[in-house]
Amino acid sequence: MRFSGFDHDGEPRILELPDLGFFLATLYVPQATSSRDAPHPLLVGFIEACQARANGS
């Protein structure tokens, strides 16, 4: 387990379990700033991880 994202005060905001395919917890709300034309990188990464797992990668 590691903290990989922090706010401007240095407080942890993203927690990852790097040994799993894609696991993170965040206090951010990426879907709030995401759109079809400009998807948030966190959501793109999740979709790519799902696709890789579905394809056996």
Side-chain angles (χ1 to χ4, degrees), residues 6-25:
F6 303 86
D7 67 12
H8 64 278
D9 293 323
E11 296 292 324
R13 293 295 181 243
I14 299 176
L15 169 73
E16 293 183 78
L17 298 178
D19 295 336
L20 297 178
F22 191 99
F23 182 97
L24 64 89

Side-chain angles (χ1 to χ4, degrees), residues 1-48:
M1 176 174 19
R2 71 175 176 221
F3 290 105
S4 58
F6 303 86
D7 67 12
H8 64 278
D9 293 323
E11 296 292 324
R13 293 295 181 243
I14 299 176
L15 169 73
E16 293 183 78
L17 298 178
D19 295 336
L20 297 178
F22 191 99
F23 182 97
L24 64 89
T26 176
L27 294 175
Y28 299 114
V29 186
Q31 67 273 21
T33 59
S34 192
S35 70
R36 175 178 269 181
D37 295 328
H40 191 281
L42 183 61
L43 300 178
V44 171
F46 177 67
I47 291 167
E48 289 173 350

